[in-house]
Amino acid sequence: MRIAETLAAMAEIYRLSRDGRTRSPRFLAYLSRAEREWGFAAYNPMAGNAALEMVERLQSLGAERLAHEAGDRTARRCLFTGEMTLAIVVPSPGLWTDRVATEALHRTTGKRRARHGLVQMWAGEPVSAEDVQREASAETVRTIWTELHGQAATLSAVVAREGLAYALGSNPFGSPSSEDGAMVRGALQVLGDTTASDEIISVLYGDAAAVRMGWPPLGLADHSGFRWAADVTAKVVAECGAEDAIRRQWTLDDLIM
């Protein structure tokens, strides 16, 4: 387990002038890192003060150390001994970066670099040590999953992977109500093999995200897919252990039985 350190460098970069846009000291300094080092491309080099404030807050928490500890702990729990590199990154919502769309793509059907993961901590949002540890653990699971099973393309695969991402660490979503659980289960029975990003994201994130992105709602509460997925996979982890759960070739029947 390795952490690609980005925070100290980005703190220095964000303190440089933006005057001159792509010819500015800030952009040129950023480009020299982003072209050759993992993690930097996920930052917006021209972001405002909220990005610097988040980077400084993460530094004060010792976030890269926390991420390394959480990731290493999760990998050991899964008995995964392969190489892995994580980087904490600070995306900034704005004109070219939609908060929900960017996170959703990262957590669902976005293509992932082998044995590399990005721990997203969004500029302008509160963050604690627990948040860093939770998301580092979740990203470790996603990275191990990709190494073992390849890219998660279908709704069923994404649900299994995202459920394990939070079942093997800390679940920030809580458990679904019986009604929400039934709705998610019904959606999976119909859409389990879909590879359409809009349908996958709508099931995981619920109607609010679907409507925001211009898609028809499915009748699902906020993050109800995550709630259901974490709940279902946690039961398998409790019964069979983390290694079996993450190495299992999950099928739609495993999820909805």
Side-chain angles (χ1 to χ4, degrees):
M1 166 66 68
R2 172 179 173 268
I3 295 293
E5 297 179 354
T6 64
L7 296 177
M10 284 307 302
E12 293 180 6
I13 289 169
Y14 279 140
R15 294 186 187 112
L16 297 174
S17 172
R18 295 183 289 182
D19 294 344
R21 296 181 178 273
T22 57
R23 296 182 180 179
S24 66
R26 182 191 292 192
F27 188 83
L28 294 175
Y30 164 79
L31 197 62
S32 71
R33 306 299 291 259
E35 287 181 333
R36 55 188 170 85
E37 296 181 51
W38 171 250
F40 286 90
Y43 286 85
N44 175 356
M46 308 305 278
N49 289 337
L52 174 58
E53 290 169 2
M54 174 58 84
V55 169
E56 291 175 335
R57 169 62 176 161
L58 290 167
Q59 287 181 292
S60 73
L61 290 172
E64 288 172 333
R65 172 183 56 80
L66 292 171
H68 186 276
E69 293 171 353
D72 186 62
R73 185 165 56 247
T74 300
R76 283 189 282 107
R77 186 180 179 192
C78 296
L79 301 183
F80 181 78
T81 58
E83 296 180 0
M84 184 189 314
T85 299
L86 299 183
I88 294 179
V89 298
V90 179
S92 300
L95 183 62
W96 302 111
T97 305
D98 180 80
R99 167 70 169 79
V100 174
T102 301
E103 178 189 280
L105 185 63
H106 178 70
R107 294 184 180 182
T108 58
T109 58
K111 297 301 181 184
R112 306 180 64 83
R113 179 176 170 181
R115 299 194 178 193
H116 286 70
L118 298 175
V119 183
Q120 295 181 331
M121 296 282 118
W122 284 83
E125 296 186 0
V127 65
S128 66
E130 290 75 19
D131 295 326
V132 173
Q133 292 170 320
R134 180 191 66 242
E135 294 307 322
S137 176
E139 189 64 5
T140 299
V141 172
R142 295 185 188 104
T143 305
I144 294 172
W145 172 280
T146 303
E147 179 70 11
L148 296 175
H149 305 289
Q151 306 289 344
T154 66
L155 173 59
S156 294
V158 171
V159 164
R161 188 189 67 196
E162 288 304 300
L164 288 170
Y166 292 104
L168 289 172
S170 174
N171 175 7
F173 307 110
S175 296
S177 67
S178 57
E179 181 180 356
D180 286 341
M183 291 293 291
V184 174
R185 189 173 186 276
L188 267 170
Q189 288 176 312
V190 175
L191 299 172
D193 293 329
T194 187
T195 58
S197 294
D198 59 337
E199 293 174 331
I200 293 171
I201 292 170
S202 294
V203 172
L204 267 293
Y205 280 82
D207 287 357
V211 171
R212 175 176 174 174
M213 298 176 73
W215 303 327
L218 300 176
L220 298 174
D222 185 45
H223 288 89
S224 58
F226 281 102
R227 297 175 194 274
W228 187 87
D231 203 49
V232 168
T233 55
K235 295 173 183 176
V236 174
V237 172
E239 293 173 1
C240 305
E243 183 188 20
D244 178 84
I246 201 167
R247 291 182 180 276
R248 174 178 297 205
Q249 296 290 338
W250 289 78
T251 67
L252 179 58
D253 287 342
D254 290 327
L255 294 168
I256 64 175
M257 62 182 298

